[in-house]
Amino acid sequence: MTEKIRLLLIDDQRLMRDGLRTILELEEDFEIVGEAADGQAGLDAYAALEPDVVLMDIRMPGMDGVEATRRMVERWPEARVIILTTFDDDEYIFEGLRVGALGYLLKDVSGDELAQAIRKVAAGGALIEPSVARKVLAEFARLETASRPLNEGLADPLSERELEVLQLLGQGLSNKQIAAELYLAEGTIKNYVSNILDKLGVNDRTQAALRAQELGMLK
């Protein structure tokens, strides 16, 4: 007989826990070993039961699911947590995955989809519901762009000071205003602007701002 996957349900709504239990107990390879109604109770239950997979709600009174997941994974690195929630909320998605959740599913998934997700995570994999995965990929792409060197694509990189001037130039400030902002002489700013135009290969401030925008150099 195949060893059963031992599950811990953590959700503040009794009705939801009962519903999950009813659905999951239909699967021959699952065993519900415990339930908890908040994050702290979930940690206590994990310590006592050491389940294979935890189904974790996010929004709960007291300690929420993100904090409970963080503490659980910190204390038990082997913990396998699937966040299961009604909220398709970007902040919770990224926080939950950042602190160590291996899956993120919305509660409107089918029983079959949930069962498959549990088996995958129990076997050492990770799973994110498709609509959530798109947001995660978009966020990773945004972070990659944000972390890309500002000078990428330039044969002659801008100095740190020139980058500062470029940011202010991109905001539409005049040489005099930039000078006041950076506590430098207006003539010095004029020289910086001239160097920036030359390095960007453009003829005026407007073109410089547009080119910098294309290169992702403006914050």
Side-chain angles (χ1 to χ4, degrees), residues 12-43:
D12 64 320
Q13 296 183 2
R14 177 63 182 271
L15 185 62
M16 180 57 67
R17 297 199 308 274
D18 288 348
L20 286 172
R21 178 180 284 275
T22 298
I23 292 171
L24 296 174
E25 285 184 338
L26 293 175
E27 306 293 331
E28 293 184 357
D29 55 337
F30 292 165
E31 179 185 1
I32 312 298
V33 295
E35 298 182 13
D38 60 60
Q40 184 57 60
L43 292 174

Side-chain angles (χ1 to χ4, degrees), residues 57-86:
D57 187 25
I58 278 195
R59 297 192 183 184
M60 296 182 288
M63 186 188 300
D64 66 21
V66 170
E67 179 61 16
T69 299
R70 184 187 69 77
R71 295 191 189 189
M72 190 174 287
V73 173
E74 217 171 58
R75 184 173 174 186
W76 300 283
E78 72 279 7
R80 300 190 174 281
V81 180
I82 297 176
I83 289 177
L84 191 61
T85 181
T86 55

